[in-house]
């Protein structure tokens, strides 16, 4: 909602563009596409870019004529910046967003916790960045415009689908009329109220949590660093919680919890929102002018599809799952879905893998959603205790945290952490007894190399092998065997330095990977570890990679 007198898209800081529908010949009523994506929200845009990176063209449908309006996602996690980097879009994000590592929790006005998210010199990006979703979509759209492989059609709505064994026919409506597109594959990125999901007769299943929050964005000159503040039981909202985030363009996000049973319509009236926001700002010492940008109400849900794949349709982003915003996981999770689906689908379309590779999409990404649910449920219980019992425990922990270190970590609304695809069919069994390092399914450890670049800078668009101090000739043999399975395979050699070898003179990189001379890691295009060998026969890993790409009968 916007203040009285301002139009739906009249933002204080963002100029919404207006996009025309595609110029097309209305006489053409049927087209063909290899991939169609429904929904150009952030997840659909990233899916299209991740496919384009692999050389796969797509048609991307969006029913609106501009970006999503209002206040939505603001916190983007490190792992998402790696995805944005891989699809060639991260620079704009780094320039505009505010990175942060620190959160502070307050109980009845007293600071009880300052926590720092894990961060070290080997990380290329900060743990978290704040950027309004309007900019997220704008920057992705700019990258789409430059890609040349994405046919983005605004004001174009998917109205019906027909599923066949070899594809999906989508009926599209735009201002010129209706037409059909026969696509080999369909990515449903059409959000929490997904039309594709409904047309398939599928439903999200799960729970609704207690507690509603008003989410208000205000513009103000406010001298506070980019630190996430959580106020428990503040004077401005007694017994409840307030969260405050800084965003670019002097915009501040204020989330405040409503009282149980509070009338939502009354709570959302402009005078009431102004009174609440004014009280919160006074409490944090802001006595200068401020302007209301937008507000809405939110309650936490943990909802997901039972299976994110249905034949030739892959559900990505909010169409597949709706997660609570505590811990900032909705968009971040969706971006990982988009990349996961795209790298696998691109290989299937190019004939470099069988459809079996796509069987791992749902277990991997649904597993990640269930992990988010588990964490978010803990956060939600702490932020908005569901029963009197939970409230007593929560309040006791907060009161103890004023004077006791041991109770302080409870007051940390958990943030997003990357998920390990343990036991996924797109990873190899871990049989070698490594003493450390990332296990198969985990995100590879980033390290800074001797030349000042990061390991992540050297990953290719295919699988990447990382070989530690190999015997003479071993690197070439291994590279050749894996390149036969993946033409985009790239090999990085870490060792004593010299021609084609990244120097690890003090053994720091080998230690991060628990590696010995001859150890080998196979990384997937999404930077997750596919498999690893402590030393010994590379043939085993080659066979495993064949199984990942082609299945057991390969
Ligand atoms: C207040 C709030 C705060 C949030 N904060 C965070 C945060 O800090 N971090 C985070 O990770 N997540 C956050 N989220 C969640 C995040 O906004 C969503 O997870 C994210 O927008 C999902 O992206 P999506 O592309 O899947 O769906 P959407 O953004 O909903 O995009 C779907 C698109 O599909 C289009 N569409 C729908 N139907 C059709 C059709 N039939 N034909 C063509 N197009 C169609 C829609 O117009 C829309 O553009 C927040 C959400 C809210 C509401």
């Amino acid at each position: 909602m916007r203040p009285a007198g301002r139009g739906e898209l009249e933002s204080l800081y963002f100029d919404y563009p207006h996009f025309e529908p595609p110029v097309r010949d209305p006489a053409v009523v049927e087209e063909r596409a290899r991939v169609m994506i429904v929904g150009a929200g952030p997840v659909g845009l990233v899916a299209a870019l991740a496919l384009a990176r692999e050389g796969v063209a797509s048609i991307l449908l969006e029913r609106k004529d501009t970006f999503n309006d209002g206040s939505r996602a603001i916190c983007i996690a490190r792992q998402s910046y790696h995805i944005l980097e891989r699809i060639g879009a991260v620079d704009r994000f780094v320039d505009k967003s505010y990175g942060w590592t620190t959160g502070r929790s307050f109980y009845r006005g007293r600071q009880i916790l300052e926590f720092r998210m894990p961060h070290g010199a080997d990380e290329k990006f900060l743990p978290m960045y704040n950027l309004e979703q309007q900019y997220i979509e704008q920057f992705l759209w700019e990258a789409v415009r430059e890609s040349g492989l994405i046919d983005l059609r605004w004001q174009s709505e998917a109205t019906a689908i027909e599923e066949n064994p070899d594809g999906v026919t989508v009926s599209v409506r735009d201002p010129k009329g209706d037409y059909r597109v026969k696509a080999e594959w369909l990515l449903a990125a059409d959000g929490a109220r997904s039309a594709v999901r409904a047309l398939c007769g599928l439903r999200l299943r799960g729970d609704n949590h207690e507690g509603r929050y008003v989410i208000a964005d205000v513009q103000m000159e406010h001298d506070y660093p980019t630190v996430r503040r959580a106020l428990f039981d503040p004077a401005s909202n007694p017994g409840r919680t307030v969260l405050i985030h800084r965003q670019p363009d002097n915009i501040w996000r204020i989330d405040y919890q409503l009282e149980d049973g509070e009338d939502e319509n009354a709570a959302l009236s402009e005078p009431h929102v102004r009174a609440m926001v004014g009280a919160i700002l006074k409490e944090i010492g802001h006595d200068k002018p401020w302007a209301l940008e937008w507000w809405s109400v939110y309650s936490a849900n943990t909802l997901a599809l039972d299976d994110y794949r249905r034949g030739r349709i892959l559900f990505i982003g909010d169409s597949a799952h709706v997660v609570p915003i505590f811990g900032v996981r909705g968009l971040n999770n969706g971006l990982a879905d988009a990349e996961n689906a795209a790298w696998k689908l691109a290989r299937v379309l190019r004939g470099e893998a069988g459809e079996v590779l796509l069987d791992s999409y749902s277990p991997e990404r649904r597993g990640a959603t269930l992990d988010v649910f588990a964490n978010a449920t803990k956060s939600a219980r702490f932020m908005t205790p569901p029963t009197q019992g939970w409230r007593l425990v929560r309040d006791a922990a907060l009161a103890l945290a004023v004077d006791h270190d041991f109770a302080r970590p409870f007051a940390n609304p958990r943030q997003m952490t990357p998920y390990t695809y343990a036991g996924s069919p797109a990873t190899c069994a871990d049989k070698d007894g490594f003493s450390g390092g990332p296990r198969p399914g985990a995100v590879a450890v980033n390290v800074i190399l001797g030349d000042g670049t990061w390991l992540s800078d050297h990953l290719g668009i295919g699988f990447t092998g990382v070989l530690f101090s190999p015997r003479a000739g071993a690197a070439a043999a291994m590279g050749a065997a894996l390149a036969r399975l993946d033409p985009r395979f790239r090999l990085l050699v870490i060792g004593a330095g010299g021609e084609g070898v990244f120097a690890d003179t003090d053994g720091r990189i080998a230690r991060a990977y628990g590696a010995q001379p001859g150890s080998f890691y196979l990384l997937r295009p999404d930077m997750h570890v596919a498999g690893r060998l402590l030393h010994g026969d590379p043939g085993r890993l080659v066979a495993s990679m064949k199984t990942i790409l082609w299945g057991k009968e390969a």
Side-chain angles (χ1 to χ4, degrees):
M1 279 170 238
R2 290 205 194 274
R6 293 222 322 263
E8 207 184 328
L9 297 177
E10 255 181 85
S11 165
L12 295 173
Y13 66 95
F14 189 81
D15 289 328
Y16 282 90
H18 169 83
F19 298 111
E20 295 296 335
V23 178
R24 65 174 186 87
D25 178 357
V28 177
V29 291
E30 190 155 300
E31 294 180 41
R32 283 179 185 274
R34 297 216 81 185
V35 183
M36 169 161 271
I37 304 167
V38 179
V43 174
L45 290 160
V46 165
L49 287 163
L51 285 165
R53 172 187 193 234
E54 301 265 2
V56 175
S58 60
I59 295 179
L60 176 54
L61 292 187
E62 173 53 55
R63 70 174 171 203
K64 293 188 286 67
D65 63 3
T66 190
F67 305 126
N68 279 305
D69 67 330
S71 308
R72 299 185 74 191
I74 52 168
C75 300
I76 321 179
R78 173 188 289 141
Q79 225 40 52
S80 296
Y81 265 46
H82 278 289
I83 295 174
L84 296 171
E85 181 175 51
R86 288 193 282 275
I87 60 171
V90 80
D91 291 348
R92 299 168 171 97
F93 285 80
V94 171
D95 287 350
K96 182 78 187 175
S97 59
Y98 289 151
W100 57 280
T101 51
T102 306
R104 291 183 188 144
S105 296
F106 301 81
Y107 178 55
R108 296 184 176 166
R110 281 182 65 184
Q111 185 173 319
I112 52 171
L113 171 77
E114 173 165 310
F115 75 92
R116 283 180 200 280
M117 287 182 279
H119 183 61
D122 280 321
E123 293 294 355
K124 182 161 185 183
F125 298 112
L126 291 172
M128 201 65 79
Y129 293 85
N130 284 358
L131 182 67
E132 295 93 336
Q133 188 157 329
Q134 289 84 338
Y135 286 114
I136 297 173
E137 295 184 23
Q138 181 191 316
F139 296 161
L140 291 170
W141 166 75
E142 285 166 5
V144 160
R145 207 175 40 172
E146 289 157 12
S147 108
L149 279 175
I150 301 162
D151 181 356
L152 171 47
R153 302 183 182 183
W154 295 96
Q155 301 188 42
S156 301
E157 181 173 6
T159 55
I161 58 164
E162 196 184 298
E163 297 174 73
N164 308 300
D166 56 353
V168 184
T169 302
V170 181
S171 302
V172 184
R173 177 164 303 150
D174 73 8
K176 284 214 179 96
D178 293 354
Y179 61 101
R180 287 151 57 90
V181 179
K182 278 189 165 181
E184 288 173 41
W185 291 89
L186 178 65
L187 298 183
D190 50 347
R193 296 199 178 93
S194 169
V196 175
R197 195 179 64 219
L199 290 165
C200 291
L202 299 172
R203 292 172 70 99
L204 299 175
R205 292 199 305 147
D207 297 318
N208 297 90
H209 290 271
E210 299 292 321
R212 293 160 302 159
Y213 275 74
V214 169
I215 293 186
D217 277 351
V218 300
Q219 192 171 47
M220 60 185 182
E221 302 271 351
H222 179 58
D223 188 15
Y224 201 84
T226 311
V227 166
R228 200 272 294 115
R229 281 176 280 182
L231 318 183
F232 294 97
D233 200 3
S236 52
N237 198 19
R240 292 175 294 280
T241 312
V242 173
L243 293 170
I244 305 172
H245 276 282
R246 181 182 180 213
Q247 306 168 69
D249 297 338
N250 283 335
I251 300 292
W252 293 77
R253 166 74 49 92
I254 296 167
D255 301 9
Y256 60 88
Q257 189 187 349
L258 294 181
E259 211 171 328
D260 290 346
E262 191 171 346
D263 175 37
E264 207 164 281
N265 288 331
L268 285 176
S269 73
E270 187 174 336
H272 195 276
V273 172
R274 284 189 183 280
M276 276 303 296
V277 169
I280 292 165
L281 295 183
K282 191 166 169 224
E283 183 167 358
I284 61 170
H286 180 81
D287 52 11
K288 291 197 221 103
W290 55 274
L292 197 51
E293 158 71 1
W294 197 87
W295 71 93
S296 68
V297 70
Y298 165 83
S299 65
N301 298 307
T302 44
L303 301 169
L305 281 175
D306 291 335
D307 193 339
Y308 292 0
R309 177 176 173 199
R310 175 171 149 130
R312 291 287 179 115
I313 305 174
L314 301 175
F315 291 88
I316 57 177
D318 279 13
S319 75
H321 46 73
V322 176
V323 308
I325 57 174
F326 310 117
V328 299
R329 295 156 171 114
L331 172 65
N332 288 296
N333 227 23
L335 300 192
D337 295 347
E339 188 188 40
N340 192 302
W343 76 259
K344 293 173 180 171
L345 183 54
R347 271 156 191 78
V348 173
L349 285 167
R350 286 198 305 262
E352 292 165 11
E355 271 191 41
V356 68
L357 180 59
L358 288 167
D359 291 345
S360 61
Y361 168 68
S362 186
E364 289 191 349
R365 295 309 309 157
R366 191 166 185 280
T369 308
L370 298 184
D371 184 60
V372 165
F373 286 176
N375 279 305
T377 303
K378 285 183 213 153
S379 305
R381 272 194 204 125
F382 201 81
M383 304 297 287
T384 56
T387 61
Q388 191 55 23
W390 277 109
R391 180 176 296 281
L392 283 171
V393 173
R394 199 275 306 262
D395 290 350
L398 287 169
L400 281 168
V402 173
D403 297 311
H404 300 283
D405 284 346
F406 77 90
R408 288 184 182 141
F410 292 118
N412 173 10
R414 293 170 181 77
Q415 308 299 330
M416 149 114 195
T417 47
Y419 178 68
T420 297
Y421 300 136
S424 159
T427 61
C428 309
D430 198 22
K431 295 179 178 160
D432 284 10
F434 271 80
S435 58
R439 61 196 169 106
V443 175
V445 176
N446 209 8
V447 283
I448 199 154
L449 303 171
D451 62 357
T453 59
W454 279 269
L455 180 82
S456 60
D457 296 335
H458 299 276
L459 305 183
I461 56 172
F463 282 75
T464 302
V466 185
L467 185 54
F468 291 86
S469 306
R471 285 192 317 274
M478 186 170 267
L482 287 160
R484 275 196 290 280
L485 284 171
D486 177 9
R488 290 162 184 75
F489 177 76
R490 179 182 286 189
L491 186 68
L492 304 181
V493 182
I494 311 271
E499 179 76 35
V501 177
F502 288 103
D504 183 24
T505 38
D506 57 1
R508 188 178 52 87
I509 304 174
R511 275 196 300 283
Y513 276 81
Q516 299 176 3
S519 293
F520 180 75
Y521 274 76
L522 182 63
L523 310 185
R524 312 186 327 177
D526 57 5
M527 211 172 146
H528 284 257
V529 175
R532 58 182 180 172
L533 290 172
L534 195 53
H535 36 65
D537 177 17
R540 184 152 59 82
L541 213 59
V542 175
S544 298
M545 182 161 157
K546 217 172 188 177
T547 308
I548 289 173
L549 295 175
W550 293 101
K552 287 270 175 265
E553 295 79 35

